[in-house]
Every structure is written in structure tokens, then in C-alpha cells.
Amino acid sequence: MPPPTSYRIGSIDILRGIVMIVMALDHTRDFFHITAFTADPLDAGTTTTALYFTRWITHFCAPVFVMLSGVSAFLSSKNKPAGEASLFLIKRGIWLIIVELVLITLGLTFNPLYNLLILQVIWAIGLSMVILGVLMRISYTAVLVVGIILFFGHNALDYASLPTKGVAYYLLTILFTTRTTIFPLGNNYFVYDLYAVLPWTGIMLLGYCLGSWFQKGFPAEKRKRLLLITGSCAVLLFIVLRLLKGYGDPGVYSTDKNTLFSFLNTSKYPPSLQYSCMTLGPALIILALLENVQAGWTRFASIYGRVPFFYYVLHFYLIHSILLLLFFVSGYTASQIADPNTPFLFRPLNFGYGLGVVYLIWIGVIGILYFPCRWFNKYKMEHRKWWLSYL
């Protein structure tokens, strides 16, 4: 007999599924778009509308994914004693960091020598979980206070004179300020750090606190009202800060080129306050509107949202395998597998296709992954093995 079904909120699975699907679009663009490594898709002076919004819409993925990881951490902690819940998050966070370095780096690069270790969102989530696990031992209030300070306050460093070398430089870069920094590890080995940890930690901590609105017994109408109010306030704060050209983002928008493109082009690396409000505000509103929605498309999206980690790891290997196939089909040879201008094997600098082909490949990737994700979701529902909680 299958084990009892755990308590889940459908809107969380749907929203998480949507962002997982959209996220794959950006990674497909990285691997297959002709200008992915030669032009900035958000440059208002050189981009096209289709390319700009193909990149911009994926800005929602990482912050929503991190926030919902915090919500899930809160909900899962309700089923465990406080000490056990804290220890689990610390262990799972360490596990995620290992997965980022070993499995996801390999899926991205296809380089078994690991000359380049890539630190992305799973690394940031992993270390943030460790921090959350420690703060949980203190109190819920400690999580909330630290979350607020990090979320609203980290952009204060934009106005500080920061060290440019030494241990302090490395710590501040890794924890707060990295904008795709490359750290040498020795002869021909490097770490490519895209995600400054603590700004993302602030999002996770507030997501954890948000989880109290989703616990069993919390009135659905009250939750919906709170989500709508909070999301609307975040959107309003983004607009006000952006118009004032003040605090909350290291860059200001320009009216010299495309004003709308420039206005929406906030900093993801690291995630600025304006970026976080621009993405999380609408996400909270959507989360409220999805509260009681049941349709074919929501059931489809929720499959990916119920197994996000499984999907996340798998989609890199699938996309890169398709790249490998098209690399040889396009006439490239083994001598061209490694291009020093790109971090991925089988991805020469000038390789790629137009945006239409990118979308076709993306749709194919989503379609192929539906079946293993559906199988794994069913497996998780029917089994209660300890290792499943780490996936």
C-alpha cells in the first residue's frame, strides 16, 4: 500500500513548474543561440525585442526558485523536531554544493577533467540552506530579521569602498558582490562564480518566513490577500526606486536608447533590491491568483514543479547531449571540441542558430523531460526512502 500523501500547496508546484520550464529556455539559448557568447541580449542598443524578452523573462526563474525553496524548507520543517529540521537543512545544503560542483558542472561543461568549476543557483541555495539551518536554531524571528537586512540592505555596499585584494576581497566577492568572477585555482583550473551568496540568502530566508502563510490550517483567503498586498507593494517599490534612480541597483536606466529595455534591465549578478522586487512582486501576485486554479496546463506545469531538482540536473545533460549531436551534424570535428572562448565543450564561439530554432529545441527539451519527471514524481509519491528527501 502506498504511503500517505504529504500536505502540498498546488499553487507552489504550479509556479515552480512554470519557472522551471522558462528557466530551460535561457539555458537552451546559452547553448544554441548564435550570439549567446558574442552579444548581450539585454543591451538596449543592439538587441531585438524578441531576444531581449527571451532573456528578460528568465530573470524571474532564479529568485522565484530560491524563494520557493525557502517556503518548502519551512513546510518540511513542520514535520520534524526543531533540531532535526535544522540538521537536515545543513546536510542538504552541503549536499547541494557538492552536486553543483560535481554533477551540474559536468552537465554544463561536459569536461571530465573539471578545469572549470561553475557556481550557480544550486551553490547559492546550498549555502543559504546551511545559513538557514543555523538561524532556525535561534528563532523564527532571527530568520526574519536577517532576511530583511540582507534583502533590503546588501545594496549599501554599492556605496562603500571595498578591498581589491586579499582575504577580505575574496570573501566580499563570494558572499556579496560577484558579477561573474573567475578565480584561478592553479595551473589551468578555475572557479567561475556567478552567484553572490548572501543576497540570495536574503530571498530564501524571507521565503522561509513566507512559508508560515502556507502551513496547514492557514485561511486560504487570508493567504491570498496577503500575497496580493505584498506582491503589489514589491512592484510599487521597484517602480519608485527605479524612477528615483537611487538606492537598490548599481545601474540607472537611460532614456538615450530604448527606455523600456533600460528601465527593466536591473542587476541579477548580484541580485539587486530592484531586481528582486521586479521579479518577486509579480511572482507573489501570480501565486495568489493560482490558489484555486485547476486546468490541464496547471497539471502539466506542476509535474516539473514537484520534482525540480531532478528536472534541473537532467535538463543540463539533455541540452548538452543535443548540442553534442548537432555539433557533429554541423560538420565540426574533434579538434574543435574545445574552444578557449567558451566554457562549454562542443560549443564553438560562432556556433548556433536563430531564435526560432532555439525555441524549437526548448520545446523539444520540455516535451522529452515530461515523461521522466512524471515517472519520478510517481515514484516519490509511492515510496518513502530517506534519500528521496535530498532530491
Side-chain angles (χ1 to χ4, degrees):
M1 184 172 66
T5 303
S6 59
Y7 172 67
R8 300 188 71 93
I9 297 289
S11 57
I12 293 177
D13 289 333
I14 297 167
L15 179 58
R16 184 160 46 208
I18 292 170
V19 300
M20 298 305 286
I21 291 170
V22 174
M23 174 200 65
L25 173 60
D26 194 41
H27 297 150
T28 304
R29 182 191 60 80
D30 283 336
F31 281 97
F32 294 104
H33 191 241
I34 185 66
T35 65
F37 288 97
T38 58
D40 179 3
L42 297 177
D43 186 334
T46 60
T47 191
T48 64
T49 300
L51 180 57
Y52 181 93
F53 283 105
T54 296
R55 175 66 180 113
W56 180 82
I57 193 64
T58 64
H59 271 352
F60 287 80
C61 300
V64 175
F65 190 34
V66 173
M67 178 188 71
L68 294 182
S69 296
V71 173
S72 296
F74 178 90
L75 295 177
S76 67
S77 71
K78 296 296 101 179
N79 301 321
K80 305 181 182 75
E84 182 182 334
S86 170
L87 182 60
F88 170 74
L89 282 180
I90 293 171
K91 291 191 297 184
R92 189 163 192 261
I94 294 171
W95 158 246
L96 289 177
I97 294 171
I98 295 171
V99 167
E100 180 81 281
L101 293 171
V102 179
L103 282 181
I104 297 175
T105 288
L106 182 60
L108 279 166
T109 65
F110 267 26
N111 182 352
L113 299 179
Y114 290 94
N115 298 94
L116 184 68
L117 297 173
I118 303 178
L119 300 179
Q120 292 196 107
V121 67
I122 298 300
W123 138 263
I125 289 176
L127 192 50
S128 296
M129 277 189 177
V130 173
I131 295 169
L132 174 57
V134 172
L135 290 173
M136 281 173 57
R137 291 180 176 267
I138 303 173
S139 67
Y140 175 92
T141 302
V143 176
L144 178 61
V145 170
V146 174
I148 291 173
I149 291 172
L150 290 175
F151 186 84
F152 291 98
H154 76 272
N155 276 119
L157 292 176
D158 295 339
Y159 304 94
S161 178
L162 302 178
T164 57
K165 59 183 179 179
V167 175
Y169 162 75
Y170 286 109
L171 285 176
L172 282 170
T173 301
I174 292 168
L175 295 177
F176 281 105
T177 64
T178 184
R179 294 180 175 86
T180 64
T181 306
I182 297 179
F183 298 105
L185 285 181
N187 186 28
N188 204 32
Y189 286 89
F190 304 90
V191 172
Y192 187 29
D193 186 7
L194 287 85
Y195 277 67
V197 173
L198 291 183
W200 296 102
T201 303
I203 294 174
M204 175 174 281
L205 298 183
L206 293 185
Y208 176 87
C209 297
L210 185 71
S212 63
W213 297 353
F214 289 90
Q215 59 188 324
K216 197 170 186 178
F218 195 94
E221 283 304 314
K222 182 179 180 182
R223 173 171 57 243
K224 184 175 182 179
R225 183 171 66 255
L226 289 171
L227 289 171
L228 288 172
I229 292 172
T230 307
S232 299
C233 288
V235 172
L236 181 61
L237 179 60
F238 158 68
I239 294 172
V240 170
L241 290 176
R242 202 69 179 144
L243 288 173
L244 291 176
K245 299 185 178 181
Y247 181 80
D249 196 90
V252 295
Y253 75 94
S254 170
T255 57
D256 294 339
K257 298 175 183 177
N258 189 311
T259 303
L260 177 62
F261 287 1
S262 182
F263 189 85
L264 295 175
N265 187 17
T266 51
S267 171
K268 179 183 179 181
Y269 304 107
S272 68
L273 173 60
Q274 291 181 27
Y275 166 88
S276 298
C277 289
M278 178 187 74
T279 53
L280 294 176
L284 292 174
I285 294 171
I286 292 171
L287 200 55
L289 299 178
L290 288 172
E291 183 75 35
N292 297 310
V293 176
Q294 293 186 359
W297 71 268
T298 61
R299 289 189 291 272
F300 176 81
S302 67
I303 289 295
Y304 304 97
R306 292 173 72 94
V307 291
F309 180 75
F310 177 81
Y311 166 93
Y312 185 81
V313 174
L314 206 58
H315 95 286
F316 280 122
Y317 283 87
L318 176 58
I319 292 173
H320 211 145
S321 296
I322 296 171
L323 175 68
L324 184 153
L325 175 64
L326 293 178
F327 172 87
F328 287 110
V329 168
S330 300
Y332 289 94
T333 64
S335 64
Q336 298 170 290
I337 289 174
D339 187 327
N341 297 300
T342 67
F344 311 140
L345 296 187
F346 305 99
R347 208 307 182 182
L349 182 65
N350 295 313
F351 170 88
Y353 308 93
L355 210 52
V357 175
V358 170
Y359 272 85
L360 287 175
I361 296 173
W362 168 61
I363 292 169
V365 166
I366 298 304
I368 293 170
L369 289 177
Y370 177 79
F371 300 100
C373 287
R374 186 177 65 177
W375 166 82
F376 189 60
N377 176 54
K378 186 173 184 291
Y379 184 86
K380 288 184 67 176
M381 292 175 65
E382 295 176 351
H383 298 80
R384 285 294 182 267
K385 300 180 185 296
W386 67 268
W387 51 269
L388 286 173
S389 61
Y390 286 84
L391 299 180

